């Protein structure tokens, strides 16, 4: 039997494709708050970040998300005919436990909950008064029914139903933010509160995990509907159906990098993750605040946004007031859409879906930024979205939000072939293999490297990357086709080129 000969180091191996030598993750893009928001907001955000020792990115995006939720269904953007966008954002604050995600988020959520408590206290007084009137109305209703029965029995005319028997609908206790994100709870609130609601989760992974607890993907489809503010009907056994004209829920929460990979990036690409704005900055230095950032700016802004109300259509139904784009803003939007299309054509994996939604995101951000500037001014309510604001929103996407998503979603942005190649690279590093056969790859039992098609795809990727090279395998003593064998470029095991390969399955 002829034994396989060792494959000596070949100095003429070309340099391996650097894409496969490390987990691709670009550094976070810089955030220039002063180019997006007014000096008042810029000063407040930087002060809050300093006070919480958190990156200002967290507070900036929390502010945009909360402002969008407060606008809710009161104001939508309408760039042109048959296109309208709600101000709904879904934001994930990514980082390790030491990055102070929760304190940063709380800098925005705490004033929001304070405003909610104030309004609920006032509403509870109205609710108590309504209940007292409701008790009286029940007595009046019962007396009227008795009178109708008596009149019917006597053959006389029945009395009209007293106005005091009808006291109107039960007052709603406002809910600005909620953490119980079950479908039942969300729909119950939105059925009474057409404005919309904000879902706040300290750990977004739990929110995503709960979606498959009772159903097979149905909850994910429900949440996708809430992102678009579409009409929705809930029909479940033993319960009355709930019809919601505009199912609107903004979402914000925290997630750790490992949970991002296992709970978000390993799920099916159904458009759910592509709607989430990932924010993953560098860790902020630990500092002592130089000044007290606490002012009335945020509480005042919350109150002013809450003063906006929905409008009535011709039939008397509540609906959002639509803000059109100015002609110059429409021109810039059209140019931006072409730019987005070019980005989409160059994208892979989940980034195709994410990039394809950026033109809609630009409209949503334009609406939110318009009203964030309004709340710190003494101007009358805006009636249109200007070219200046749209230029700011589109620039924020191009220079910050898109690069941030490319950083956070890199593992899921690989093509199928590259993902297969990376799985094989991880196997090569684990074994420190200088040569490997197709049979050895399959017998390793790794996910994504078990079928002949999967192995062939992985090998093809690494051959093209100058990491593998076909070599002759000796014939088997039992006959049959010999396993295909490949030598491995030794450069991938050098100190500079042998990083720990992450599991991207």
């Amino acid at each position: 039997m002829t034994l396989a000969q060792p494959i000596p180091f070949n100095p003429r191996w070309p340099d391996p494709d650097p894409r496969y030598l490390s987990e691709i993750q670009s550094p976070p893009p810089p955030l220039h708050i002063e180019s997006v928001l007014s000096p008042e907001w810029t000063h407040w955000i930087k002060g809050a970040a300093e006070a919480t020792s958190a990156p200002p990115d967290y507070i900036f995006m929390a502010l945009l998300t909360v402002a969008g939720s407060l606008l809710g269904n009161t104001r939508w953007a309408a760039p042109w005919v048959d296109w309208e966008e709600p101000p709904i954002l879904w934001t994930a604050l990514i980082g390790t436990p030491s990055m102070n995600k929760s304190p940063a988020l709380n800098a925005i959520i705490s004033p929001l909950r304070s405003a909610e408590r104030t309004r609920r206290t006032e509403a509870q007084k109205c609710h108590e008064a309504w209940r007292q009137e409701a008790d009286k109305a029940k007595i009046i209703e019962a007396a009227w029914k008795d009178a109708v029965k008596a009149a019917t029995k006597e053959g006389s005319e029945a009395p009209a139903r007293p106005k005091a028997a009808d006291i109107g609908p039960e007052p709603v206790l406002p809910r600005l933010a909620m953490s119980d994100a079950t479908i039942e709870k969300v729909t119950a609130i939105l059925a009474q509160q057409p404005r919309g609601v904000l879902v706040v989760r300290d750990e977004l992974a739990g929110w995503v995990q709960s979606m498959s607890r009772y159903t097979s993907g149905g909850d994910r489809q429900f949440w996708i509907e809430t992102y678009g503010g579409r009409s929705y009907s809930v029909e479940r056994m033993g319960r009355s159906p709930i019809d919601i004209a505009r199912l609107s829920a903004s979402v914000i929460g925290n997630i750790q990098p490992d949970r991002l990979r296992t709970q978000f990036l390993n799920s099916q690409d159904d458009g759910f993750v592509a709607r989430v704005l990932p924010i993953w900055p560098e860790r902020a230095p630990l500092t002592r605040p130089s000044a007290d950032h606490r002012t009335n700016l945020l509480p005042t802004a919350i109150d002013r946004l809450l003063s906006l109300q929905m409008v009535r259509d011709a039939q008397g139904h509540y609906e959002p007031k639509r803000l059109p784009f100015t002609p110059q803003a429409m021109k810039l939007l059209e140019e931006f859409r072409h730019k987005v299309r070019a980005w989409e054509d160059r994208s892979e994996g989940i980034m195709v879906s994410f990039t394809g939604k950026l033109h809609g995101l630009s409209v949503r951000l334009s609406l939110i930024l318009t009203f964030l500037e309004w709340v710190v001014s003494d101007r009358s309510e805006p009636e249109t979205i200007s070219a200046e604001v749209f230029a700011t929103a589109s620039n924020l996407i191009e220079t910050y939000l898109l690069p941030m998503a490319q950083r956070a979603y890199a593992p899921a942005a690989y093509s199928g072939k590259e993902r297969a190649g990376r799985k094989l690279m991880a196997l090569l590093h684990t074994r420190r293999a200088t040569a490997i056969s197709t049979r050895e790859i399959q017998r390793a039992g790794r996910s994504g490297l078990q079928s002949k098609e999967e192995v062939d795809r992985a090998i093809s990727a690494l051959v093209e990357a100058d990491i593998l090279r076909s070599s002759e395998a000796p014939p088997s003593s039992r006959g049959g086709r010999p396993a295909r064998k490949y030598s491995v470029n030794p450069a991938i095991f050098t100190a500079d080129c042998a990083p720990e390969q992450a599991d991207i399955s």
Side-chain angles (χ1 to χ4, degrees), residues 195-233:
R195 183 188 203 101
V197 73
L198 173 70
V199 175
V200 183
R201 295 297 297 253
D202 194 56
E203 186 51 67
L204 281 176
W207 175 55
V208 175
Q209 206 169 17
S210 68
M211 293 180 191
S212 58
R213 187 174 301 164
Y214 304 114
T215 62
S216 179
D219 283 14
R220 291 173 69 93
Q221 291 305 313
F222 167 82
W223 285 105
I224 289 174
E225 295 292 325
T226 72
Y227 183 84
R230 303 182 184 93
S231 61
Y232 196 83
S233 296

Side-chain angles (χ1 to χ4, degrees), residues 122 218 262 272 307 310 318 437:
E122 295 171 355
T262 58
F272 178 87
S307 71
M310 299 176 72
Y318 284 107
S437 69

Side-chain angles (χ1 to χ4, degrees), residues 65-85:
T65 307
V66 169
S69 77
L70 292 174
L71 284 170
N73 289 324
T74 69
R75 301 293 182 271
W76 283 23
W80 49 68
V81 177
D82 292 333
W83 184 9
E84 55 185 29
E85 294 282 347

Side-chain angles (χ1 to χ4, degrees), residues 365-438:
L365 287 173
S366 297
L367 178 64
I368 294 170
L369 294 178
T370 294
F371 279 91
L372 275 177
E373 293 309 300
W374 170 69
V375 295
V376 294
S377 73
D378 56 1
R379 298 191 299 268
S380 58
E381 183 188 333
E383 299 293 331
T384 61
I385 294 177
S386 69
E388 180 182 6
V389 172
F390 179 78
T392 299
S394 58
N395 184 67
L396 176 65
I397 290 173
E398 182 171 1
T399 63
Y400 181 75
L401 293 174
L402 177 57
M404 188 65 85
Q406 290 168 336
R407 162 179 164 82
Y409 292 160
Y414 307 138
S415 65
K417 189 172 184 177
E418 185 174 346
R419 288 174 65 84
R422 286 177 172 274
K423 290 175 183 290
L424 182 50
M425 272 291 286
L427 177 62
L428 296 177
H429 275 285
T430 299
R431 296 193 171 189
R432 303 289 296 181
T434 58
I436 198 163
S437 69
T438 53

Side-chain angles (χ1 to χ4, degrees), residues 136-149 162 165:
K136 295 178 184 177
K138 288 179 181 178
I139 297 173
I140 295 172
E141 177 91 6
W144 170 71
K145 288 181 178 180
D146 289 341
V148 170
K149 289 179 182 178

